[in-house]
PDB file of all heavy atoms in Angstrom:
ATOM      1  N   ALA R 356       2.342   5.392  15.989  1.00  0.00           N
ATOM      2  CA  ALA R 356       3.797   5.243  15.946  1.00  0.00           C
ATOM      3  C   ALA R 356       4.468   6.520  15.478  1.00  0.00           C
ATOM      4  O   ALA R 356       3.863   7.372  14.814  1.00  0.00           O
ATOM      5  CB  ALA R 356       4.176   4.084  15.028  1.00  0.00           C
ATOM      6  N   VAL R 357       5.744   6.614  15.809  1.00  0.00           N
ATOM      7  CA  VAL R 357       6.594   7.684  15.299  1.00  0.00           C
ATOM      8  C   VAL R 357       7.895   7.041  14.833  1.00  0.00           C
ATOM      9  O   VAL R 357       8.404   6.116  15.471  1.00  0.00           O
ATOM     10  CB  VAL R 357       6.859   8.771  16.371  1.00  0.00           C
ATOM     11  CG1 VAL R 357       7.644   8.196  17.562  1.00  0.00           C
ATOM     12  CG2 VAL R 357       7.579   9.965  15.783  1.00  0.00           C
ATOM     13  N   HIS R 358       8.401   7.502  13.690  1.00  0.00           N
ATOM     14  CA  HIS R 358       9.658   6.966  13.165  1.00  0.00           C
ATOM     15  C   HIS R 358      10.699   8.074  13.238  1.00  0.00           C
ATOM     16  O   HIS R 358      10.557   9.129  12.621  1.00  0.00           O
ATOM     17  CB  HIS R 358       9.475   6.491  11.717  1.00  0.00           C
ATOM     18  CG  HIS R 358      10.622   5.674  11.230  1.00  0.00           C
ATOM     19  ND1 HIS R 358      10.685   4.307  11.386  1.00  0.00           N
ATOM     20  CD2 HIS R 358      11.772   6.035  10.606  1.00  0.00           C
ATOM     21  CE1 HIS R 358      11.809   3.855  10.874  1.00  0.00           C
ATOM     22  NE2 HIS R 358      12.493   4.884  10.395  1.00  0.00           N
ATOM     23  N   LEU R 359      11.742   7.827  14.017  1.00  0.00           N
ATOM     24  CA  LEU R 359      12.735   8.853  14.316  1.00  0.00           C
ATOM     25  C   LEU R 359      13.899   8.823  13.336  1.00  0.00           C
ATOM     26  O   LEU R 359      14.262   7.781  12.802  1.00  0.00           O
ATOM     27  CB  LEU R 359      13.261   8.654  15.741  1.00  0.00           C
ATOM     28  CG  LEU R 359      12.198   8.637  16.846  1.00  0.00           C
ATOM     29  CD1 LEU R 359      12.859   8.354  18.193  1.00  0.00           C
ATOM     30  CD2 LEU R 359      11.416   9.941  16.889  1.00  0.00           C
ATOM     31  N   LYS R 360      14.488  10.008  13.126  1.00  0.00           N
ATOM     32  CA  LYS R 360      15.716  10.099  12.339  1.00  0.00           C
ATOM     33  C   LYS R 360      16.829  10.616  13.239  1.00  0.00           C
ATOM     34  O   LYS R 360      16.625  10.846  14.436  1.00  0.00           O
ATOM     35  CB  LYS R 360      15.504  10.995  11.125  1.00  0.00           C
ATOM     36  CG  LYS R 360      15.098  12.422  11.439  1.00  0.00           C
ATOM     37  CD  LYS R 360      14.882  13.207  10.146  1.00  0.00           C
ATOM     38  CE  LYS R 360      14.586  14.677  10.427  1.00  0.00           C
ATOM     39  NZ  LYS R 360      14.413  15.447   9.173  1.00  0.00           N
ATOM     40  N   GLY R 361      17.994  10.808  12.664  1.00  0.00           N
ATOM     41  CA  GLY R 361      19.157  11.171  13.475  1.00  0.00           C
ATOM     42  C   GLY R 361      19.010  12.465  14.245  1.00  0.00           C
ATOM     43  O   GLY R 361      19.580  12.619  15.326  1.00  0.00           O
ATOM     44  N   THR R 362      18.240  13.422  13.706  1.00  0.00           N
ATOM     45  CA  THR R 362      18.086  14.719  14.361  1.00  0.00           C
ATOM     46  C   THR R 362      16.802  14.805  15.193  1.00  0.00           C
ATOM     47  O   THR R 362      16.486  15.869  15.732  1.00  0.00           O
ATOM     48  CB  THR R 362      18.077  15.842  13.305  1.00  0.00           C
ATOM     49  OG1 THR R 362      17.044  15.568  12.332  1.00  0.00           O
ATOM     50  CG2 THR R 362      19.416  15.934  12.593  1.00  0.00           C
ATOM     51  N   SER R 363      16.068  13.701  15.300  1.00  0.00           N
ATOM     52  CA  SER R 363      14.841  13.686  16.102  1.00  0.00           C
ATOM     53  C   SER R 363      15.188  13.609  17.592  1.00  0.00           C
ATOM     54  O   SER R 363      16.351  13.457  17.972  1.00  0.00           O
ATOM     55  CB  SER R 363      13.983  12.473  15.734  1.00  0.00           C
ATOM     56  OG  SER R 363      13.619  12.474  14.381  1.00  0.00           O
ATOM     57  N   LEU R 364      14.161  13.684  18.430  1.00  0.00           N
ATOM     58  CA  LEU R 364      14.348  13.449  19.856  1.00  0.00           C
ATOM     59  C   LEU R 364      14.903  12.041  20.084  1.00  0.00           C
ATOM     60  O   LEU R 364      14.655  11.138  19.283  1.00  0.00           O
ATOM     61  CB  LEU R 364      13.015  13.594  20.595  1.00  0.00           C
ATOM     62  CG  LEU R 364      12.386  14.989  20.658  1.00  0.00           C
ATOM     63  CD1 LEU R 364      11.000  14.907  21.281  1.00  0.00           C
ATOM     64  CD2 LEU R 364      13.270  15.948  21.445  1.00  0.00           C
ATOM     65  N   GLU R 365      15.624  11.860  21.183  1.00  0.00           N
ATOM     66  CA  GLU R 365      16.163  10.536  21.501  1.00  0.00           C
ATOM     67  C   GLU R 365      15.026   9.564  21.839  1.00  0.00           C
ATOM     68  O   GLU R 365      14.047   9.947  22.502  1.00  0.00           O
ATOM     69  CB  GLU R 365      17.131  10.623  22.678  1.00  0.00           C
ATOM     70  CG  GLU R 365      18.471  11.245  22.325  1.00  0.00           C
ATOM     71  CD  GLU R 365      19.272  10.392  21.364  1.00  0.00           C
ATOM     72  OE1 GLU R 365      19.175   9.151  21.443  1.00  0.00           O
ATOM     73  OE2 GLU R 365      19.987  10.974  20.538  1.00  0.00           O
ATOM     74  N   PRO R 366      15.140   8.310  21.396  1.00  0.00           N
ATOM     75  CA  PRO R 366      14.068   7.342  21.621  1.00  0.00           C
ATOM     76  C   PRO R 366      13.682   7.156  23.086  1.00  0.00           C
ATOM     77  O   PRO R 366      12.505   7.027  23.409  1.00  0.00           O
ATOM     78  CB  PRO R 366      14.650   6.049  21.046  1.00  0.00           C
ATOM     79  CG  PRO R 366      15.672   6.486  20.060  1.00  0.00           C
ATOM     80  CD  PRO R 366      16.236   7.749  20.599  1.00  0.00           C
ATOM     81  N   ASP R 367      14.677   7.142  23.986  1.00  0.00           N
ATOM     82  CA  ASP R 367      14.356   6.930  25.392  1.00  0.00           C
ATOM     83  C   ASP R 367      13.568   8.091  25.984  1.00  0.00           C
ATOM     84  O   ASP R 367      12.711   7.906  26.852  1.00  0.00           O
ATOM     85  CB  ASP R 367      15.617   6.642  26.223  1.00  0.00           C
ATOM     86  CG  ASP R 367      16.729   7.646  25.999  1.00  0.00           C
ATOM     87  OD1 ASP R 367      16.583   8.541  25.138  1.00  0.00           O
ATOM     88  OD2 ASP R 367      17.762   7.537  26.671  1.00  0.00           O
ATOM     89  N   LEU R 368      13.800   9.296  25.471  1.00  0.00           N
ATOM     90  CA  LEU R 368      13.038  10.467  25.909  1.00  0.00           C
ATOM     91  C   LEU R 368      11.594  10.371  25.417  1.00  0.00           C
ATOM     92  O   LEU R 368      10.651  10.649  26.166  1.00  0.00           O
ATOM     93  CB  LEU R 368      13.697  11.740  25.384  1.00  0.00           C
ATOM     94  CG  LEU R 368      13.066  13.067  25.816  1.00  0.00           C
ATOM     95  CD1 LEU R 368      13.158  13.243  27.326  1.00  0.00           C
ATOM     96  CD2 LEU R 368      13.736  14.234  25.091  1.00  0.00           C
ATOM     97  N   VAL R 369      11.429   9.973  24.161  1.00  0.00           N
ATOM     98  CA  VAL R 369      10.087   9.808  23.603  1.00  0.00           C
ATOM     99  C   VAL R 369       9.325   8.736  24.376  1.00  0.00           C
ATOM    100  O   VAL R 369       8.158   8.909  24.756  1.00  0.00           O
ATOM    101  CB  VAL R 369      10.155   9.444  22.106  1.00  0.00           C
ATOM    102  CG1 VAL R 369       8.755   9.192  21.549  1.00  0.00           C
ATOM    103  CG2 VAL R 369      10.853  10.543  21.316  1.00  0.00           C
ATOM    104  N   SER R 370       9.991   7.625  24.630  1.00  0.00           N
ATOM    105  CA  SER R 370       9.364   6.518  25.339  1.00  0.00           C
ATOM    106  C   SER R 370       8.947   6.918  26.757  1.00  0.00           C
ATOM    107  O   SER R 370       7.875   6.529  27.235  1.00  0.00           O
ATOM    108  CB  SER R 370      10.326   5.328  25.392  1.00  0.00           C
ATOM    109  OG  SER R 370       9.757   4.247  26.067  1.00  0.00           O
ATOM    110  N   LYS R 371       9.783   7.714  27.414  1.00  0.00           N
ATOM    111  CA  LYS R 371       9.498   8.128  28.788  1.00  0.00           C
ATOM    112  C   LYS R 371       8.239   8.973  28.873  1.00  0.00           C
ATOM    113  O   LYS R 371       7.416   8.807  29.780  1.00  0.00           O
ATOM    114  CB  LYS R 371      10.704   8.911  29.337  1.00  0.00           C
ATOM    115  CG  LYS R 371      10.483   9.456  30.742  1.00  0.00           C
ATOM    116  CD  LYS R 371      11.703  10.252  31.202  1.00  0.00           C
ATOM    117  CE  LYS R 371      11.463  10.872  32.580  1.00  0.00           C
ATOM    118  NZ  LYS R 371      12.634  11.685  33.023  1.00  0.00           N
ATOM    119  N   HIS R 372       8.072   9.877  27.920  1.00  0.00           N
ATOM    120  CA  HIS R 372       6.968  10.829  27.995  1.00  0.00           C
ATOM    121  C   HIS R 372       5.732  10.418  27.191  1.00  0.00           C
ATOM    122  O   HIS R 372       4.629  10.889  27.474  1.00  0.00           O
ATOM    123  CB  HIS R 372       7.448  12.209  27.532  1.00  0.00           C
ATOM    124  CG  HIS R 372       8.436  12.843  28.452  1.00  0.00           C
ATOM    125  ND1 HIS R 372       8.074  13.397  29.659  1.00  0.00           N
ATOM    126  CD2 HIS R 372       9.787  12.965  28.352  1.00  0.00           C
ATOM    127  CE1 HIS R 372       9.158  13.877  30.259  1.00  0.00           C
ATOM    128  NE2 HIS R 372      10.205  13.614  29.498  1.00  0.00           N
ATOM    129  N   PHE R 373       5.931   9.558  26.195  1.00  0.00           N
ATOM    130  CA  PHE R 373       4.812   9.165  25.333  1.00  0.00           C
ATOM    131  C   PHE R 373       4.828   7.647  25.145  1.00  0.00           C
ATOM    132  O   PHE R 373       5.112   7.128  24.068  1.00  0.00           O
ATOM    133  CB  PHE R 373       4.905   9.877  23.982  1.00  0.00           C
ATOM    134  CG  PHE R 373       5.051  11.372  24.108  1.00  0.00           C
ATOM    135  CD1 PHE R 373       6.260  11.986  23.806  1.00  0.00           C
ATOM    136  CD2 PHE R 373       4.000  12.148  24.554  1.00  0.00           C
ATOM    137  CE1 PHE R 373       6.407  13.361  23.939  1.00  0.00           C
ATOM    138  CE2 PHE R 373       4.140  13.532  24.683  1.00  0.00           C
ATOM    139  CZ  PHE R 373       5.342  14.139  24.372  1.00  0.00           C
ATOM    140  N   SER R 374       4.515   6.958  26.219  1.00  0.00           N
ATOM    141  CA  SER R 374       4.661   5.497  26.233  1.00  0.00           C
ATOM    142  C   SER R 374       3.696   4.780  25.309  1.00  0.00           C
ATOM    143  O   SER R 374       3.875   3.597  25.016  1.00  0.00           O
ATOM    144  CB  SER R 374       4.492   4.974  27.662  1.00  0.00           C
ATOM    145  OG  SER R 374       3.218   5.338  28.180  1.00  0.00           O
ATOM    146  N   SER R 375       2.663   5.479  24.828  1.00  0.00           N
ATOM    147  CA  SER R 375       1.695   4.825  23.945  1.00  0.00           C
ATOM    148  C   SER R 375       2.209   4.698  22.515  1.00  0.00           C
ATOM    149  O   SER R 375       1.634   3.966  21.702  1.00  0.00           O
ATOM    150  CB  SER R 375       0.375   5.598  23.930  1.00  0.00           C
ATOM    151  OG  SER R 375       0.555   6.887  23.357  1.00  0.00           O
ATOM    152  N   LEU R 376       3.280   5.419  22.180  1.00  0.00           N
ATOM    153  CA  LEU R 376       3.802   5.407  20.811  1.00  0.00           C
ATOM    154  C   LEU R 376       4.726   4.215  20.569  1.00  0.00           C
ATOM    155  O   LEU R 376       5.592   3.906  21.395  1.00  0.00           O
ATOM    156  CB  LEU R 376       4.595   6.686  20.522  1.00  0.00           C
ATOM    157  CG  LEU R 376       3.811   7.978  20.317  1.00  0.00           C
ATOM    158  CD1 LEU R 376       4.776   9.146  20.182  1.00  0.00           C
ATOM    159  CD2 LEU R 376       2.912   7.890  19.078  1.00  0.00           C
TER     160      LEU R 376
END
Side-chain angles (χ1 to χ4, degrees):
V357 64
H358 192 89
L359 304 177
K360 60 181 185 178
T362 55
S363 301
L364 293 173
E365 286 294 326
D367 50 356
L368 183 63
V369 177
S370 180
K371 177 182 177 182
H372 292 285
F373 308 108
S374 59
S375 65
L376 286 174

